[in-house]
């Protein structure tokens, strides 16, 4: 989960801003597995050797078999990211994706929670990449991805002239910045994006070079400001909204995007909601008209 930024004597209202958020947030799901009971050794003198042999065999089987205990949140997040990547890659051929292939190549020992994994992967595909995962026919156990990136009222302003998968990534970064108090360290951004299977040093199927996209392309397009943080060792950078973002969208629209990801109401984040309301009021004020006076020579 997102780590809270360093405390710099912030007020309680600012502390509320650090309420963490994450698209497709994963909750711990019990696996329902039952631990194997060790054979009893109370079989009398004649059965002790057999019991020891059985116990040894059971121990070896337990080591060879995957653990049936509850998975950690990190394990679930990694598995969901793996499933998302698999679905994106398979969709490139535009051939329906078979459930048997998903189970064989990705799910593996997580079969007991497959419905939960598929649901979380579908949420991530929708809100990060702009694809809807649908079953081709009822009970067919085959799936396809549908492009849902047509601009809609809530976020058309940040899509620009064309809706592309990179818009989802940009919205995630803008949301991170706003929810963290309008400034966020680059290391925190990558810590978060790694959970989505987006790495700064690995080429991505959809985004190409993610680090270049975020630190160069979005910066050059003026959606982001990217500055070095002074006196940091190792060197670190921070992100803020760029001037184009402030012109094309608003804090309220980004907050609504965050709320949609969480299936919550924007008012569930009181500090950010108040800030967004104030921003809306400022935008509603008429801009000062030019004076019309010639500049003094």
């Amino acid at each position: 989960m997102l780590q809270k930024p360093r405390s710099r004597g912030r007020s309680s209202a600012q502390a509320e801003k650090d309420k963490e958020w994450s698209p497709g947030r994963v909750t711990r799901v019990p696996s329902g597995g039952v631990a194997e009971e060790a054979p009893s050794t109370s079989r009398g003198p004649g059965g002790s050797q057999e019991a020891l042999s059985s116990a040894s065999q059971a121990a070896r089987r337990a080591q060879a078999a995957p653990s049936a205990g509850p998975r950690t949140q990190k394990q679930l997040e990694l598995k969901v990211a793996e499933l998302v990547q698999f679905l994106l890659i398979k969709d490139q051929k535009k051939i329906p994706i078979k459930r048997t292939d998903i189970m064989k190549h990705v799910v593996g020992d997580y079969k007991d929670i497959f419905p939960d994994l598929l649901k979380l992967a579908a949420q991530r595909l929708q809100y990060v990449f702009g694809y809807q995962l649908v079953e081709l026919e009822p009970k067919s156990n085959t799936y396809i991805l549908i492009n849902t990136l047509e601009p809609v009222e809530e976020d058309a302003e940040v899509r620009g002239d064309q809706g592309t998968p990179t818009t989802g990534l940009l919205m995630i970064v803008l949301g991170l910045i706003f929810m963290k108090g309008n400034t966020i360290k680059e290391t925190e951004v990558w810590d978060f994006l790694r959970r989505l299977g987006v790495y700064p040093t690995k080429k991505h199927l959809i985004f190409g070079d993610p680090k270049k996209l975020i630190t160069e392309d979005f910066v050059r397009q003026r959606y982001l400001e990217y500055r070095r943080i002074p006196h940091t060792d190792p060197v670190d950078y921070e992100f803020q909204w760029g001037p184009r973002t402030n012109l094309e969208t608003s804090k309220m629209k980004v907050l609504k995007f965050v709320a949609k990801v969480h299936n919550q109401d924007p008012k569930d984040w009181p500090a950010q909601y108040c800030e967004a309301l104030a921003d809306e009021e400022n935008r509603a004020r008429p801009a000062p008209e030019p004076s019309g006076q010639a500049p003094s020579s």
Side-chain angles (χ1 to χ4, degrees):
M1 305 295 285
L2 291 174
Q3 298 296 320
K4 293 186 177 181
R6 297 168 307 202
S7 175
R8 296 180 180 176
R10 297 183 177 186
S11 64
S12 58
Q14 181 60 44
E16 181 66 26
K17 289 188 176 185
D18 291 334
K19 182 177 180 181
E20 61 186 12
W21 69 281
S22 57
R25 182 168 47 195
V26 180
T27 56
R28 182 171 295 181
V29 181
S31 66
V34 179
E36 182 178 3
E37 183 177 353
S40 172
T41 58
S42 58
R43 301 183 183 178
S48 59
Q49 188 64 34
E50 180 183 351
L52 288 173
S53 176
S54 299
S56 178
Q57 292 176 5
R60 285 196 296 269
R61 286 197 302 269
Q63 290 177 354
S67 173
R71 284 82 174 188
T72 65
Q73 182 171 329
K74 183 176 181 180
Q75 287 175 318
L76 291 176
E77 290 169 351
L78 290 174
K79 183 58 65 174
V80 171
E82 183 181 353
L83 178 53
V84 168
Q85 292 285 345
F86 178 81
L87 293 170
L88 289 170
I89 292 171
K90 295 291 286 185
D91 182 66
Q92 295 301 302
K93 297 181 179 180
K94 299 303 175 186
I95 298 175
I97 306 162
K98 297 179 181 179
R99 175 173 173 171
T100 52
D101 288 339
I102 298 174
M103 302 295 285
K104 177 181 177 181
H105 297 290
V106 182
V107 176
D109 303 328
Y110 290 69
K111 294 177 182 178
D112 54 317
I113 56 171
F114 172 69
D116 300 279
L117 294 175
L118 194 65
K119 180 180 179 180
L120 292 168
Q123 292 175 351
R124 190 164 300 176
L125 285 165
Q126 175 73 44
Y127 295 120
V128 180
F129 300 98
Y131 291 108
Q132 182 180 0
L133 179 67
V134 298
E135 191 168 13
L136 195 58
E137 294 177 351
K139 299 182 180 180
S140 66
N141 291 329
T142 56
Y143 307 90
I144 60 173
L145 300 184
I146 297 176
N147 191 330
T148 60
L149 284 170
E150 289 301 319
V152 294
E153 181 180 354
E154 290 300 326
D155 47 24
E157 288 84 355
V158 296
R159 292 188 185 279
D161 296 331
Q162 297 179 346
T164 67
T166 60
T167 301
L169 183 63
L170 175 60
M171 288 296 290
I172 294 295
V173 176
L174 294 177
L176 282 169
I177 294 170
F178 178 51
M179 303 302 281
K180 281 289 187 175
N182 299 307
T183 301
I184 189 171
K185 293 170 61 177
E186 182 182 8
T187 50
E188 292 183 89
V189 171
W190 290 116
D191 286 344
F192 183 84
L193 292 180
R194 283 186 183 93
R195 294 171 48 195
L196 305 182
V198 179
Y199 299 87
T201 57
K202 293 183 181 179
K203 187 173 182 180
H204 193 273
L205 178 68
I206 302 298
F207 305 133
D209 184 342
K211 185 172 179 65
K212 179 179 180 295
L213 176 63
I214 294 175
T215 64
E216 295 182 27
D217 296 346
F218 289 161
V219 173
R220 186 172 60 252
Q221 294 164 1
R222 306 308 303 277
Y223 284 116
L224 297 176
E225 295 286 350
Y226 183 58
R227 301 187 182 94
R228 178 175 176 176
I229 303 175
H231 314 299
T232 54
D233 185 18
V235 174
D236 201 359
Y237 293 80
E238 64 184 11
F239 289 105
Q240 294 179 342
W241 282 18
R244 184 171 181 174
T245 294
N246 286 302
L247 291 172
E248 293 188 1
T249 190
S250 68
K251 293 179 178 180
M252 185 61 76
K253 287 186 173 69
V254 172
L255 180 59
K256 287 180 178 180
F257 175 85
V258 174
K260 183 174 68 172
V261 168
H262 282 280
N263 194 28
Q264 292 181 245
D265 189 276
K267 295 179 181 178
D268 291 338
W269 291 273
Q272 287 89 344
Y273 185 73
C274 289
E275 183 178 344
L277 278 180
D279 181 61
E280 293 293 295
E281 292 174 359
N282 289 334
R283 291 170 180 269
R285 295 192 184 117
E289 296 183 2
S291 63
Q293 296 179 352
S296 58
S297 55

